Amino acid sequence: MTGWVKIVGLGPGAENLVTPQVADALAQATDVIGYIPYVARVSARPGLTLHPSDNRVELDRAAHALTLAADGQRVVVVSSGDPGVFAMASAVFEALEDGPAEWRELKIDVLPGITAMLAAAARAGAPLGHDFCAINLSDNLKPWALIEKRLRLAVEGDFAMAFYNPRSKSRPDGFVRTLEVLNEACGDARPIIFARAVSTPDENIRVVALPDARPEMADMRTVVIVGASNTRVIDGADGPIVYTPRSVLS
Amino acid sequence: MTGWVKIVGLGPGAENLVTPQVADALAQATDVIGYIPYVARVSARPGLTLHPSDNRVELDRAAHALTLAADGQRVVVVSSGDPGVFAMASAVFEALEDGPAEWRELKIDVLPGITAMLAAAARAGAPLGHDFCAINLSDNLKPWALIEKRLRLAVEGDFAMAFYNPRSKSRPDGFVRTLEVLNEACGDARPIIFARAVSTPDENIRVVALPDARPEMADMRTVVIVGASNTRVIDGADGPIVYTPRSVLS
């Protein structure tokens, strides 16, 4: 078998945040598979077939990639950000585990990318500069009770927190509840960052105190970061800088 | 003031994991500041002064960067991985907060990089494919009791976990205790990944069941990843693939 699959991260949006390793993989590919807006970031060229697909068909997409590779194609599966963070890598391995034995012989690589929370953190300062958690707020694939449990434990452990998929049109209520839980559990005015479409022309970074956060500040293009209890906000030349110190005194 | 500071992430080691944004910053710099092995990754050229410094002088290094920028220099502070994850960005902002008022007028940017845990996760499969925590196991800057508390809460929340700075010659006991706490709290044989020097010629990835983990499997060049309770190991063409499914059933 000469086909392969590379599951790659395109980073948050800007071309200069795509690693050379990922650019090389795209240059070698015969097929690119992924969600429509991510495939749209790949330049067309002779010999390359683009296979954009809709949201929520991750397993079909993964099986398609593995089938093409088993046929000898060089397949790149694209995610935004990092492919291993709430993205396509797990879906491909789920499909691999449930698929035909011949797929197990395929060369499959995961190529990391700049994930949204780290791009967002960089634009805000260094809010994730100490221990932190990453939580997907979508309850499409897990029960809300588990999300709430993790939120409360993350606050109890005084982790900074990064939230992916905070709010969509089909799930307007979860983020309302998230803010209620956070305000109740944190009980302070620590900073919360709404980072939308980081590194794209639509980028918008907003820093507010947790009690002032409103659900409509987030949408599906937003990563939300909540500080730990000792996270600080200072004035910088370009606006507020949010950072979590490296040290926690005993 | 025409000087600036860019706090950049060089990624885990390989040149093809350095973003073009970071490469551009290095090309524009007059001064590069950082820990000796990271500064060694930057090519010397006329007009560029390299300022390598030893470990544990992060605040001095940060003040040096800000002082040079206030004098009009174009200063790049280098970290490995991502500068906002247990690295130099927080140190620079700590120095900024405590420093002279004129520093607040400086243009300071953080440029993200591929952090070690995501490079390690990619090499192992997708162990961080669902909610996860990142914990620095060094007790140089926080009490061990807080580390243990966070470990136990992370297990209780069934997060996957990534550990930075697991073990050093001066702290041989912390990781022994970490493995004891994990075995006690997890009570199962979930996979643990020891990913050493990812993307460098010294790379070594080792996957074992948690009860089989030994302290000497980690050193300061190792990132350790522990799965959630539902993390799976399957056979792939290049060895074991570790992944955490996207879905948690209620």
Side-chain angles (χ1 to χ4, degrees), chain B residues 72-114:
Chain B
Q73 299 297 99
R74 299 186 298 275
V75 183
V76 170
V77 177
V78 291
S79 291
S80 75
D82 181 275
V85 177
F86 311 126
M88 281 300 297
S90 285
V92 171
F93 295 126
E94 288 170 35
L96 182 71
E97 183 166 13
D98 293 338
E102 61 165 12
W103 285 356
R104 300 292 184 101
E105 294 159 40
L106 288 168
K107 171 82 174 154
I108 303 174
D109 290 303
V110 180
L111 309 188
I114 302 291

Side-chain angles (χ1 to χ4, degrees), chain B residues 13-213:
Chain B
E15 200 58 40
N16 68 358
L17 292 176
V18 179
T19 67
Q21 186 184 53
V22 167
D24 281 353
L26 290 168
Q28 294 167 29
T30 58
D31 298 83
V32 170
I33 289 180
Y35 180 38
I36 297 163
Y38 308 149
V39 173
R41 290 174 55 191
V42 178
S43 302
R45 60 172 166 76
L48 178 66
T49 306
L50 301 176
H51 305 270
S53 51
D54 207 348
N55 212 348
R56 299 210 188 179
V57 294
E58 287 80 7
L59 279 181
D60 295 342
R61 198 187 282 153
H64 186 199
L66 292 161
T67 302
L68 286 173
D71 285 343
Q73 299 297 99
R74 299 186 298 275
V75 183
V76 170
V77 177
V78 291
S79 291
S80 75
D82 181 275
V85 177
F86 311 126
M88 281 300 297
S90 285
V92 171
F93 295 126
E94 288 170 35
L96 182 71
E97 183 166 13
D98 293 338
E102 61 165 12
W103 285 356
R104 300 292 184 101
E105 294 159 40
L106 288 168
K107 171 82 174 154
I108 303 174
D109 290 303
V110 180
L111 309 188
I114 302 291
T115 188
M117 69 176 166
L118 296 184
R123 296 293 289 142
L128 304 178
H130 202 57
D131 300 340
F132 64 94
C133 296
I135 301 177
N136 187 339
L137 291 184
S138 167
D139 60 358
N140 288 334
L141 295 169
K142 67 183 163 188
W144 165 258
L146 181 59
I147 297 174
E148 179 167 338
K149 179 181 178 184
R150 286 179 177 167
L151 290 172
R152 292 186 183 279
L153 290 168
V155 173
E156 185 181 346
D158 203 10
F159 288 95
M161 292 163 271
F163 303 134
Y164 285 74
N165 303 318
R167 186 165 172 259
S168 73
K169 285 178 184 161
S170 61
R171 296 180 289 105
D173 299 331
F175 193 60
V176 175
R177 184 75 186 122
T178 296
L179 291 177
E180 288 170 359
V181 169
L182 288 173
N183 272 296
E184 182 193 321
C186 296
D188 61 15
R190 66 185 65 191
I192 177 170
I193 300 158
F194 294 89
R196 183 170 191 276
V198 171
S199 86
T200 78
D202 300 327
E203 177 177 297
N204 183 43
I205 311 284
R206 183 175 201 168
V207 179
V208 300
L210 179 55
D212 300 327

Side-chain angles (χ1 to χ4, degrees), chain A residues 69-84:
Chain A
D71 286 344
Q73 300 295 99
R74 300 187 297 276
V75 184
V76 171
V77 177
V78 291
S79 292
S80 75
D82 181 275

